[in-house]
Amino acid sequence: MKTVRLGTFETNSSSTHAMCMCTVADYEKFQNMELFLHWETLQTAEELYEQFISIYQRDRSTWGAALENYFNKKLCGQIPSFETYKKALMGTGEWSYVDEDCRADYTDEEWVIANIRQSFISDSIGNVHNYYISDHYHYETFYDSLNGVVAFGYFGNQ
């Protein structure tokens, strides 16, 4: 990434995965994991949880086999509490596939947390962008101090 003209953000589109703009105050909340980027908006943990549980408040006859399987096997047949969901959202460490063969190695809550964290990437439920930032994933920030706007994004590929 490089600046070609003053006051512009330019990049090669094939190397950019995301670019976001917000106020400096919201960006600070984002960095402190008080706000989370989900699709195109910054949201609180409470808002993300409401979206997550709304999936499971639908009529079960409309779920389909994949959602039924996820609910029964990955969530232990219960909607997780907000505190459990927040532990998954705030969790740090490596992202890894949760293998059914290792189920006995987890408590029920650890199992649910691991599967929610996995869903952040595979199903875009919740937030993955903050994790990329916490792992310093080719991340860059641009401040416009005159207007109080921050443009930020992660780029590159592994």
Side-chain angles (χ1 to χ4, degrees):
M1 298 204 173
K2 73 183 205 182
T3 301
V4 177
R5 291 184 290 265
L6 185 61
T8 63
F9 179 89
E10 297 188 27
T11 182
N12 175 342
S13 63
S14 66
S15 68
T16 300
H17 293 224
M19 186 185 93
C20 311
M21 296 178 73
C22 63
T23 65
V24 171
D26 280 349
Y27 180 70
E28 289 171 359
K29 290 178 183 177
F30 176 72
Q31 285 187 308
N32 294 327
M33 295 184 84
E34 296 168 39
L35 289 176
F36 302 87
L37 183 62
H38 181 60
W39 299 107
E40 69 279 352
T41 61
L42 289 171
Q43 299 180 2
T44 64
E46 290 82 0
E47 290 168 327
L48 290 175
Y49 179 68
E50 286 175 22
Q51 291 175 44
F52 182 82
I53 64 170
S54 73
I55 294 167
Y56 301 102
Q57 291 175 332
R58 296 182 199 151
D59 177 2
R60 286 183 86 154
S61 66
T62 66
W63 278 14
L67 193 57
E68 183 79 38
N69 186 51
Y70 184 83
F71 181 74
N72 289 329
K73 289 190 174 184
K74 307 292 186 178
L75 299 180
C76 299
Q78 296 182 13
I79 296 174
S81 69
F82 173 68
E83 288 307 313
T84 297
Y85 182 83
K86 194 170 179 182
K87 286 179 186 177
L89 191 63
M90 300 298 204
T92 58
E94 201 166 306
W95 294 84
S96 60
Y97 178 73
V98 183
D99 189 347
E100 287 282 333
D101 294 338
C102 299
R103 174 63 179 96
D105 297 338
Y106 295 84
T107 66
D108 283 352
E109 184 181 43
E110 290 169 342
W111 178 253
V112 169
I113 288 169
N115 280 286
I116 292 171
R117 290 189 73 210
Q118 183 178 341
S119 75
F120 292 153
I121 288 181
S122 61
D123 302 326
S124 299
I125 299 171
N127 173 68
V128 297
H129 302 283
N130 294 63
Y131 291 104
Y132 286 133
I133 289 164
S134 67
D135 291 336
H136 309 290
Y137 184 85
H138 299 79
Y139 183 72
E140 195 159 345
T141 308
F142 303 88
Y143 288 90
D144 177 351
S145 58
L146 183 64
N147 296 308
V149 174
V150 178
F152 62 99
Y154 56 93
F155 59 94
N157 55 33
Q158 295 179 325

